[in-house]
Amino acid sequence: MTLSFRHRCLFLLCLTAIQCGHAAVQACMDKHQVVGVLRQMEKFLKGQEMRFTEGLRIMKSKLATLQNSVSKLPQSDLSATSTTCPSLEAPAHGTKFGSKYFVGHEVHFTCLQGYHLVGSATRVCQDNGTWTGISAICKDVSECASNPCQNGGTCVEGVNQYKCTCPQSWSGSHCQHQTHTAPPEWSVMNDPAFSRRPRCAQVNRAQHCSCDAGFHMSGTSDNSICQDVNECEVYRLDQGGKLCIHECVNVPGSYHCSCPSGYKLLSDGRSCEDVDECLSQQHNCSQGTTCINTGGGFQCVSPECPRSNGDISYVKTSPFQCERNPCPMDSRSCHTAPKTVSFHYLSLPSNLQTPATLFRMATATAPGRTGPDSLRFGIVGGNSRGIFVMQRSDRQTGELILVQQLRGPQEISIDVDMSEYSDRTFQAKHVARVHILVSPYNF
């Protein structure tokens, strides 16, 4: 509520007049004016009182919030002194880095050359005034402490170095090389290309010799030579499995894997993969024949339809399928002959894990026509020798399954048929001639 300037003046005049008596009030203003002014003043004072009270409440709330925030801050007790940890000294024969010992500060320790650190290399001052870790000590490094001499050799201390005194039949800076009277099985001895002169140097009046990687020391300490290690033979003797999938070839200081003709070496350096000559156009098949990729090679094929026999004749409808020509109405033999003959070529590795599904046959029905209500599958020809079975996998599909492992190289042909029946009446027969080309390799 806000009083106008005129009302404030009248109010002050009236207050002065009241002190002078009733007559003065009447001289100043009439009664109604005084009552109106007094009511406005009363409302004004109440509004001011409410604003003042609300201001006090807001200030008290902000003050309480500020006190709660300050009490949650770390180290809120301003009267407490900052925590420190006791001072740390550098270890003998060592150096200390870090000069502050307040909470959270770190101190680091290192040792001089010839000494090694035992204890904590870094310690941190904690809130409770203690250091993490344990005291650091610098101990003298013993050149022979790690037992560097092998095969019964004796370590002799020197100034920042050591020397191995080797027993008879052992040589090398660590007595790691055996002096052979006969070459080991895995050493190449009779080929000059697989021999190297050792690298020798005088150390503390003694000669130390070593060989490149892939070679081993042979001979005596006075007349030694580096002979190639045959990694292929070492791996075979250790019975660690095949180092290479096909063939391991030893070379001076190393080895590499090779693959048979028609295969390529993969990026792992040991596995082989068949080269698809048909896909890469590396074949010489003439026009009218089709290239079939095999393990390690390819074949050019041009399958022929069965020869005409009486009323039965066939026409080639695609490179790998023949269809029977329409039969005379009175020719029973024509109606029972295969309606279609298809040709299929499969390339298999040697010793394929069995049983293995190689081929599937299924019926196909033209749109708008009902298909056969039953199918029969069987093996009707070829040199299968009982290593395949033909069985139904579902109502419409039959599978040719290999049940005995095959070792290559060899070729096997097998004829399988599918007969269609409707209401137990023979409808048609389809024959698939499967040619299986077995590779001599199992990759």
Side-chain angles (χ1 to χ4, degrees), residues 71-120:
S71 64
K72 294 178 181 179
L73 293 176
Q75 298 179 349
S76 59
D77 187 2
L78 300 178
S79 62
T81 58
S82 299
T83 303
T84 60
C85 293
S87 62
L88 296 175
E89 301 297 331
H93 309 293
T95 306
K96 180 190 73 172
F97 299 93
S99 58
K100 293 184 179 181
Y101 306 137
F102 295 106
V103 173
H105 283 78
E106 297 180 354
V107 175
H108 306 273
F109 303 96
T110 60
C111 292
L112 302 178
Q113 187 175 2
Y115 296 86
H116 68 279
L117 183 72
V118 177
S120 301

Short mmCIF file of all heavy atoms in Angstrom, two decimals, residues 71-120:
data_model
loop_
_atom_site.label_atom_id
_atom_site.label_comp_id
_atom_site.label_asym_id
_atom_site.label_seq_id
_atom_site.Cartn_x
_atom_site.Cartn_y
_atom_site.Cartn_z
N SER A 71 29.30 -27.16 6.83
CA SER A 71 29.60 -28.29 7.72
C SER A 71 29.97 -29.54 6.94
O SER A 71 30.65 -30.42 7.46
CB SER A 71 28.39 -28.58 8.61
OG SER A 71 27.28 -28.99 7.82
N LYS A 72 29.54 -29.65 5.63
CA LYS A 72 29.85 -30.83 4.82
C LYS A 72 31.19 -30.72 4.12
O LYS A 72 31.66 -31.68 3.52
CB LYS A 72 28.76 -31.04 3.76
CG LYS A 72 27.41 -31.41 4.38
CD LYS A 72 26.36 -31.57 3.30
CE LYS A 72 25.01 -31.91 3.90
NZ LYS A 72 23.95 -32.04 2.86
N LEU A 73 31.83 -29.58 4.09
CA LEU A 73 33.13 -29.43 3.44
C LEU A 73 34.20 -30.18 4.22
O LEU A 73 34.14 -30.28 5.43
CB LEU A 73 33.50 -27.94 3.33
CG LEU A 73 32.62 -27.09 2.40
CD1 LEU A 73 33.04 -25.63 2.48
CD2 LEU A 73 32.76 -27.58 0.97
N PRO A 74 35.23 -30.83 3.50
CA PRO A 74 36.32 -31.49 4.22
C PRO A 74 37.10 -30.46 5.04
O PRO A 74 37.29 -29.31 4.65
CB PRO A 74 37.17 -32.08 3.08
CG PRO A 74 36.83 -31.27 1.89
CD PRO A 74 35.38 -30.87 2.05
N GLN A 75 37.58 -30.98 6.17
CA GLN A 75 38.36 -30.13 7.08
C GLN A 75 37.56 -28.88 7.43
O GLN A 75 38.06 -27.75 7.40
CB GLN A 75 39.70 -29.75 6.43
CG GLN A 75 40.58 -30.96 6.13
CD GLN A 75 41.88 -30.56 5.48
OE1 GLN A 75 42.05 -29.43 5.07
NE2 GLN A 75 42.80 -31.51 5.40
N SER A 76 36.25 -29.09 7.80
CA SER A 76 35.39 -27.94 8.09
C SER A 76 35.74 -27.30 9.44
O SER A 76 35.37 -26.17 9.70
CB SER A 76 33.94 -28.40 8.11
OG SER A 76 33.75 -29.41 9.08
N ASP A 77 36.43 -28.08 10.24
CA ASP A 77 36.82 -27.52 11.53
C ASP A 77 38.02 -26.61 11.31
O ASP A 77 39.16 -27.06 11.26
CB ASP A 77 37.16 -28.64 12.51
CG ASP A 77 37.40 -28.10 13.92
OD1 ASP A 77 37.27 -26.88 14.11
OD2 ASP A 77 37.72 -28.92 14.80
N LEU A 78 37.72 -25.32 11.15
CA LEU A 78 38.78 -24.37 10.81
C LEU A 78 39.76 -24.17 11.95
O LEU A 78 40.87 -23.67 11.75
CB LEU A 78 38.16 -23.03 10.40
CG LEU A 78 37.21 -23.10 9.21
CD1 LEU A 78 36.63 -21.71 8.93
CD2 LEU A 78 37.92 -23.63 8.00
N SER A 79 39.33 -24.59 13.11
CA SER A 79 40.22 -24.39 14.26
C SER A 79 41.29 -25.47 14.32
O SER A 79 42.29 -25.32 15.01
CB SER A 79 39.40 -24.39 15.56
OG SER A 79 38.75 -25.65 15.73
N ALA A 80 41.01 -26.66 13.54
CA ALA A 80 41.98 -27.74 13.60
C ALA A 80 43.18 -27.42 12.71
O ALA A 80 43.05 -26.81 11.66
CB ALA A 80 41.33 -29.04 13.12
N THR A 81 44.31 -27.88 13.08
CA THR A 81 45.53 -27.64 12.33
C THR A 81 45.67 -28.68 11.22
O THR A 81 45.12 -29.77 11.32
CB THR A 81 46.76 -27.73 13.26
OG1 THR A 81 46.76 -29.04 13.87
CG2 THR A 81 46.67 -26.67 14.34
N SER A 82 46.32 -28.37 10.08
CA SER A 82 46.51 -29.28 8.95
C SER A 82 47.32 -30.49 9.39
O SER A 82 48.33 -30.36 10.08
CB SER A 82 47.23 -28.54 7.82
OG SER A 82 46.45 -27.45 7.39
N THR A 83 46.88 -31.73 8.91
CA THR A 83 47.56 -32.97 9.28
C THR A 83 48.84 -33.11 8.47
O THR A 83 48.85 -32.89 7.26
CB THR A 83 46.65 -34.17 9.02
OG1 THR A 83 45.44 -34.00 9.75
CG2 THR A 83 47.31 -35.46 9.44
N THR A 84 49.90 -33.54 9.09
CA THR A 84 51.17 -33.81 8.42
C THR A 84 51.67 -35.16 8.85
O THR A 84 51.24 -35.72 9.86
CB THR A 84 52.22 -32.73 8.76
OG1 THR A 84 52.44 -32.74 10.18
CG2 THR A 84 51.77 -31.36 8.30
N CYS A 85 52.57 -35.74 8.06
CA CYS A 85 53.22 -37.01 8.38
C CYS A 85 54.65 -36.74 8.81
O CYS A 85 55.24 -35.71 8.46
CB CYS A 85 53.20 -37.93 7.16
SG CYS A 85 51.54 -38.47 6.69
N PRO A 86 55.24 -37.66 9.58
CA PRO A 86 56.63 -37.47 10.01
C PRO A 86 57.57 -37.42 8.82
O PRO A 86 57.30 -38.01 7.77
CB PRO A 86 56.89 -38.69 10.90
CG PRO A 86 55.86 -39.70 10.51
CD PRO A 86 54.65 -38.92 10.12
N SER A 87 58.65 -36.73 8.97
CA SER A 87 59.62 -36.58 7.87
C SER A 87 60.27 -37.91 7.56
O SER A 87 60.42 -38.78 8.44
CB SER A 87 60.69 -35.54 8.24
OG SER A 87 61.42 -35.97 9.38
N LEU A 88 60.66 -38.09 6.29
CA LEU A 88 61.33 -39.30 5.82
C LEU A 88 62.71 -38.94 5.30
O LEU A 88 62.90 -37.91 4.66
CB LEU A 88 60.52 -39.97 4.70
CG LEU A 88 59.13 -40.48 5.08
CD1 LEU A 88 58.41 -41.00 3.83
CD2 LEU A 88 59.21 -41.58 6.12
N GLU A 89 63.68 -39.81 5.58
CA GLU A 89 65.05 -39.58 5.14
C GLU A 89 65.37 -40.46 3.95
O GLU A 89 64.79 -41.53 3.77
CB GLU A 89 66.02 -39.86 6.30
CG GLU A 89 65.78 -39.00 7.52
CD GLU A 89 65.99 -37.51 7.24
OE1 GLU A 89 66.81 -37.18 6.35
OE2 GLU A 89 65.32 -36.69 7.88
N ALA A 90 66.30 -40.01 3.13
CA ALA A 90 66.76 -40.81 2.00
C ALA A 90 67.53 -42.02 2.52
O ALA A 90 68.29 -41.92 3.48
CB ALA A 90 67.64 -39.97 1.08
N PRO A 91 67.34 -43.20 1.91
CA PRO A 91 68.09 -44.37 2.36
C PRO A 91 69.57 -44.25 2.02
O PRO A 91 69.95 -43.50 1.10
CB PRO A 91 67.43 -45.52 1.59
CG PRO A 91 66.89 -44.88 0.34
CD PRO A 91 66.47 -43.50 0.76
N ALA A 92 70.39 -44.96 2.76
CA ALA A 92 71.82 -44.99 2.45
C ALA A 92 72.02 -45.52 1.05
O ALA A 92 71.37 -46.49 0.65
CB ALA A 92 72.55 -45.85 3.47
N HIS A 93 72.89 -44.87 0.27
CA HIS A 93 73.18 -45.22 -1.12
C HIS A 93 71.94 -44.97 -2.01
O HIS A 93 71.78 -45.63 -3.04
CB HIS A 93 73.64 -46.67 -1.26
CG HIS A 93 74.74 -47.06 -0.35
ND1 HIS A 93 76.01 -46.54 -0.47
CD2 HIS A 93 74.75 -47.89 0.73
CE1 HIS A 93 76.77 -47.06 0.49
NE2 HIS A 93 76.03 -47.87 1.23
N GLY A 94 71.08 -44.03 -1.58
CA GLY A 94 69.88 -43.75 -2.36
C GLY A 94 69.54 -42.27 -2.33
O GLY A 94 70.21 -41.46 -1.69
N THR A 95 68.49 -41.90 -3.03
CA THR A 95 68.05 -40.51 -3.14
C THR A 95 66.55 -40.44 -2.88
O THR A 95 65.79 -41.35 -3.26
CB THR A 95 68.34 -39.96 -4.56
OG1 THR A 95 69.73 -40.15 -4.86
CG2 THR A 95 68.03 -38.48 -4.64
N LYS A 96 66.14 -39.32 -2.21
CA LYS A 96 64.72 -39.08 -1.94
C LYS A 96 64.26 -37.89 -2.79
O LYS A 96 64.97 -36.89 -2.89
CB LYS A 96 64.51 -38.79 -0.45
CG LYS A 96 63.04 -38.52 -0.09
CD LYS A 96 62.89 -37.99 1.33
CE LYS A 96 63.36 -36.53 1.40
NZ LYS A 96 63.08 -35.90 2.70
N PHE A 97 63.05 -38.01 -3.35
CA PHE A 97 62.43 -36.92 -4.11
C PHE A 97 61.11 -36.57 -3.45
O PHE A 97 60.25 -37.43 -3.27
CB PHE A 97 62.20 -37.33 -5.57
CG PHE A 97 63.45 -37.68 -6.31
CD1 PHE A 97 63.89 -39.00 -6.37
CD2 PHE A 97 64.20 -36.70 -6.94
CE1 PHE A 97 65.05 -39.32 -7.05
CE2 PHE A 97 65.36 -37.03 -7.62
CZ PHE A 97 65.79 -38.33 -7.67
N GLY A 98 60.95 -35.29 -3.08
CA GLY A 98 59.74 -34.84 -2.40
C GLY A 98 60.07 -34.31 -1.02
O GLY A 98 60.74 -34.99 -0.23
N SER A 99 59.60 -33.08 -0.72
CA SER A 99 59.94 -32.46 0.56
C SER A 99 58.71 -32.03 1.36
O SER A 99 58.85 -31.48 2.45
CB SER A 99 60.84 -31.23 0.31
OG SER A 99 60.18 -30.30 -0.54
N LYS A 100 57.50 -32.29 0.86
CA LYS A 100 56.29 -31.90 1.58
C LYS A 100 55.66 -33.13 2.21
O LYS A 100 55.59 -34.20 1.59
CB LYS A 100 55.30 -31.22 0.63
CG LYS A 100 55.80 -29.87 0.11
CD LYS A 100 54.76 -29.19 -0.76
CE LYS A 100 55.27 -27.83 -1.26
NZ LYS A 100 54.26 -27.13 -2.08
N TYR A 101 55.19 -32.94 3.46
CA TYR A 101 54.66 -34.06 4.22
C TYR A 101 53.19 -33.87 4.59
O TYR A 101 52.72 -34.41 5.58
CB TYR A 101 55.49 -34.28 5.49
CG TYR A 101 56.98 -34.42 5.21
CD1 TYR A 101 57.93 -33.78 6.00
CD2 TYR A 101 57.41 -35.19 4.14
CE1 TYR A 101 59.27 -33.92 5.75
CE2 TYR A 101 58.76 -35.33 3.87
CZ TYR A 101 59.70 -34.69 4.68
OH TYR A 101 61.02 -34.83 4.42
N PHE A 102 52.45 -33.10 3.78
CA PHE A 102 51.03 -32.91 4.04
C PHE A 102 50.23 -34.07 3.45
O PHE A 102 50.75 -34.83 2.61
CB PHE A 102 50.55 -31.58 3.45
CG PHE A 102 51.16 -30.37 4.11
CD1 PHE A 102 52.15 -29.64 3.44
CD2 PHE A 102 50.78 -29.99 5.38
CE1 PHE A 102 52.72 -28.54 4.03
CE2 PHE A 102 51.35 -28.88 5.98
CZ PHE A 102 52.33 -28.15 5.32
N VAL A 103 48.98 -34.20 3.87
CA VAL A 103 48.11 -35.28 3.41
C VAL A 103 47.98 -35.22 1.88
O VAL A 103 47.71 -34.17 1.31
CB VAL A 103 46.72 -35.18 4.07
CG1 VAL A 103 45.76 -36.20 3.46
CG2 VAL A 103 46.82 -35.40 5.57
N GLY A 104 48.19 -36.39 1.25
CA GLY A 104 48.06 -36.49 -0.19
C GLY A 104 49.37 -36.31 -0.94
O GLY A 104 49.44 -36.61 -2.13
N HIS A 105 50.43 -35.82 -0.28
CA HIS A 105 51.70 -35.63 -0.96
C HIS A 105 52.48 -36.95 -1.03
O HIS A 105 52.32 -37.82 -0.16
CB HIS A 105 52.54 -34.56 -0.24
CG HIS A 105 52.08 -33.16 -0.55
ND1 HIS A 105 50.98 -32.60 0.04
CD2 HIS A 105 52.57 -32.23 -1.41
CE1 HIS A 105 50.81 -31.36 -0.41
NE2 HIS A 105 51.75 -31.12 -1.30
N GLU A 106 53.32 -37.07 -2.06
CA GLU A 106 54.09 -38.29 -2.28
C GLU A 106 55.58 -38.02 -2.10
O GLU A 106 56.07 -36.92 -2.36
CB GLU A 106 53.85 -38.84 -3.69
CG GLU A 106 52.43 -39.25 -3.96
CD GLU A 106 52.25 -39.78 -5.37
OE1 GLU A 106 53.24 -39.71 -6.15
OE2 GLU A 106 51.15 -40.26 -5.70
N VAL A 107 56.30 -39.10 -1.68
CA VAL A 107 57.76 -39.06 -1.59
C VAL A 107 58.27 -40.28 -2.34
O VAL A 107 57.74 -41.39 -2.19
CB VAL A 107 58.23 -39.08 -0.12
CG1 VAL A 107 59.75 -39.16 -0.06
CG2 VAL A 107 57.74 -37.84 0.62
N HIS A 108 59.30 -40.09 -3.19
CA HIS A 108 59.83 -41.16 -4.04
C HIS A 108 61.29 -41.44 -3.68
O HIS A 108 62.03 -40.53 -3.28
CB HIS A 108 59.73 -40.78 -5.52
CG HIS A 108 58.35 -40.38 -5.93
ND1 HIS A 108 57.40 -41.29 -6.35
CD2 HIS A 108 57.74 -39.16 -5.96
CE1 HIS A 108 56.29 -40.65 -6.64
NE2 HIS A 108 56.46 -39.35 -6.40
N PHE A 109 61.71 -42.71 -3.87
CA PHE A 109 63.06 -43.13 -3.52
C PHE A 109 63.67 -43.89 -4.69
O PHE A 109 62.99 -44.66 -5.38
CB PHE A 109 63.04 -44.03 -2.29
CG PHE A 109 62.39 -43.41 -1.08
CD1 PHE A 109 61.07 -43.66 -0.78
CD2 PHE A 109 63.11 -42.55 -0.25
CE1 PHE A 109 60.46 -43.10 0.31
CE2 PHE A 109 62.50 -41.98 0.85
CZ PHE A 109 61.17 -42.26 1.15
N THR A 110 64.95 -43.67 -4.95
CA THR A 110 65.72 -44.43 -5.93
C THR A 110 67.07 -44.78 -5.32
O THR A 110 67.50 -44.18 -4.33
CB THR A 110 65.94 -43.63 -7.23
OG1 THR A 110 66.67 -42.41 -6.92
CG2 THR A 110 64.63 -43.28 -7.89
N CYS A 111 67.75 -45.78 -5.92
CA CYS A 111 69.04 -46.23 -5.42
C CYS A 111 70.13 -45.90 -6.43
O CYS A 111 69.88 -45.79 -7.63
CB CYS A 111 69.02 -47.74 -5.14
SG CYS A 111 67.95 -48.19 -3.76
N LEU A 112 71.35 -45.76 -5.94
CA LEU A 112 72.50 -45.50 -6.80
C LEU A 112 72.84 -46.75 -7.60
O LEU A 112 72.38 -47.86 -7.29
CB LEU A 112 73.69 -45.07 -5.95
CG LEU A 112 73.48 -43.81 -5.08
CD1 LEU A 112 74.73 -43.53 -4.26
CD2 LEU A 112 73.12 -42.61 -5.95
N GLN A 113 73.65 -46.58 -8.66
CA GLN A 113 74.05 -47.71 -9.49
C GLN A 113 74.80 -48.72 -8.64
O GLN A 113 75.65 -48.38 -7.82
CB GLN A 113 74.91 -47.22 -10.64
CG GLN A 113 75.24 -48.31 -11.66
CD GLN A 113 76.01 -47.76 -12.86
OE1 GLN A 113 76.33 -46.58 -12.90
NE2 GLN A 113 76.30 -48.62 -13.81
N GLY A 114 74.49 -49.99 -8.85
CA GLY A 114 75.11 -51.05 -8.06
C GLY A 114 74.28 -51.46 -6.86
O GLY A 114 74.67 -52.37 -6.12
N TYR A 115 73.15 -50.79 -6.66
CA TYR A 115 72.26 -51.12 -5.54
C TYR A 115 70.84 -51.28 -6.08
O TYR A 115 70.47 -50.67 -7.09
CB TYR A 115 72.29 -50.02 -4.47
CG TYR A 115 73.64 -49.85 -3.80
CD1 TYR A 115 74.61 -49.03 -4.39
CD2 TYR A 115 73.93 -50.51 -2.62
CE1 TYR A 115 75.86 -48.87 -3.79
CE2 TYR A 115 75.17 -50.35 -2.01
CZ TYR A 115 76.12 -49.54 -2.60
OH TYR A 115 77.35 -49.40 -2.00
N HIS A 116 70.05 -52.09 -5.39
CA HIS A 116 68.65 -52.24 -5.79
C HIS A 116 67.77 -51.94 -4.59
O HIS A 116 68.14 -52.15 -3.43
CB HIS A 116 68.37 -53.64 -6.33
CG HIS A 116 68.44 -54.73 -5.30
ND1 HIS A 116 69.63 -55.30 -4.90
CD2 HIS A 116 67.45 -55.36 -4.61
CE1 HIS A 116 69.39 -56.23 -3.99
NE2 HIS A 116 68.08 -56.29 -3.79
N LEU A 117 66.57 -51.40 -4.87
CA LEU A 117 65.66 -50.92 -3.85
C LEU A 117 64.86 -52.07 -3.25
O LEU A 117 64.30 -52.90 -3.97
CB LEU A 117 64.69 -49.88 -4.45
CG LEU A 117 63.71 -49.22 -3.48
CD1 LEU A 117 64.46 -48.25 -2.57
CD2 LEU A 117 62.62 -48.48 -4.24
N VAL A 118 64.82 -52.12 -1.94
CA VAL A 118 63.98 -53.07 -1.20
C VAL A 118 63.00 -52.25 -0.38
O VAL A 118 63.42 -51.41 0.43
CB VAL A 118 64.83 -53.99 -0.30
CG1 VAL A 118 63.91 -54.92 0.50
CG2 VAL A 118 65.82 -54.79 -1.12
N GLY A 119 61.72 -52.46 -0.52
CA GLY A 119 60.70 -51.65 0.15
C GLY A 119 59.87 -50.90 -0.86
O GLY A 119 59.77 -51.28 -2.03
N SER A 120 59.26 -49.81 -0.41
CA SER A 120 58.35 -49.04 -1.27
C SER A 120 59.10 -47.91 -1.97
O SER A 120 59.74 -47.08 -1.31
CB SER A 120 57.19 -48.46 -0.44
OG SER A 120 56.47 -49.50 0.19
#
